[in-house]
Amino acid sequence: MISAGDFRNGTTFELNSQLVTVIEFQHVKPGKGSAFVRAKIKNVITGSVIERTFNPNEKFPDVFIEKKIAQYLYNDGNSYYFMDTKSFEQISVDKKKLDENFIFIKENVECKILIHKNDVLGVELPIFVELKVTETEPGIKGSTATNVTKPATLETGAQIKVPVFIDKDDIIKIDVRTGKYMERA
């Protein structure tokens, strides 16, 4: 059992027979009245996000989420296939369970598959990836301004904004969480 007073970002628990994860939390101690916990929670299955207040003494069943390291292999349009790096078994993940930033992931990249009671909940992506620029306007020599950007297409088909000094075939580092250019690799 976990109490609301012990909430942390990423804590997963059961609320009204639904799996939920804490996205943000805040302990509030008003001048009058008792303390409470304000939390933004996300339903793991449906993806819906709600804000709710809890009494810090409320208790909820704790949930164990297994994280398997798996290598992304390929997709067939609706399902994405991963290989467990320890058992070499293939794991199929429905496209609906993937983050929209999965567009930055190419074949053979390792991810973490989130599993609860033999049911795949989703995929945790790496924080940074290195991708090749396949299409962009030519770079301008001597241009080092960091706030001037241009569009670029990456090897996965994703489109992002990059600084003007980046050329076609450059390898760049991307922050998968935000989908933004970080640096040249």
Side-chain angles (χ1 to χ4, degrees):
M1 297 293 269
I2 186 167
S3 70
D6 296 331
F7 283 175
R8 300 289 175 260
N9 291 347
T11 301
T12 304
F13 62 98
E14 201 171 304
L15 176 68
N16 300 331
S17 69
Q18 299 284 317
L19 288 180
V20 294
T21 300
V22 176
I23 298 171
E24 289 178 16
F25 72 97
Q26 180 180 17
H27 292 276
V28 180
K29 295 181 182 175
K32 283 188 172 184
S34 60
F36 59 92
V37 177
R38 181 178 295 131
K40 189 182 283 189
I41 55 176
K42 177 181 180 181
N43 186 312
V44 175
I45 308 300
T46 64
S48 62
V49 177
I50 61 169
E51 265 193 53
R52 182 167 166 193
T53 58
F54 298 94
N55 179 330
N57 299 325
E58 278 184 87
K59 294 199 180 293
F60 303 96
D62 203 0
V63 176
F64 176 71
I65 305 283
E66 181 183 2
K67 294 182 179 184
K68 283 188 180 181
I69 296 175
Q71 187 177 40
Y72 171 53
L73 298 175
Y74 65 94
N75 74 72
D76 64 9
N78 293 328
S79 294
Y80 286 70
Y81 296 91
F82 296 83
M83 179 184 66
D84 185 331
T85 56
K86 289 185 180 167
S87 68
F88 302 109
E89 76 175 282
Q90 278 196 16
I91 302 167
S92 171
V93 178
D94 191 349
K95 184 178 182 177
K96 296 173 192 158
K97 294 184 180 183
L98 295 176
D99 191 271
E100 66 269 1
N101 288 348
F102 195 80
I103 192 161
F104 297 111
I105 304 301
K106 63 181 181 178
E107 286 83 9
N108 301 323
V109 170
E110 286 189 349
C111 301
K112 291 180 184 168
I113 307 293
L114 307 174
I115 300 172
H116 173 66
K117 295 182 181 176
N118 295 326
D119 185 30
V120 175
L121 300 176
V123 178
E124 189 176 290
L125 305 177
I127 296 172
F128 300 106
V129 293
E130 293 182 0
L131 296 172
K132 184 177 184 178
V133 176
T134 58
E135 194 178 306
T136 190
E137 298 169 10
I140 301 167
K141 281 235 187 268
S143 178
T144 57
T146 56
N147 59 351
V148 180
T149 60
K150 63 181 180 178
T153 304
L154 306 174
E155 62 185 297
T156 60
Q159 293 190 344
I160 66 165
K161 297 278 189 187
V162 296
V164 292
F165 58 83
I166 299 294
D167 284 322
K168 181 179 178 189
D169 296 329
D170 281 353
I171 307 282
I172 60 173
K173 191 174 187 179
I174 307 292
D175 184 336
V176 175
R177 299 167 297 184
T178 61
K180 293 190 178 185
Y181 165 87
M182 296 301 295
E183 62 188 18
R184 242 189 217 158

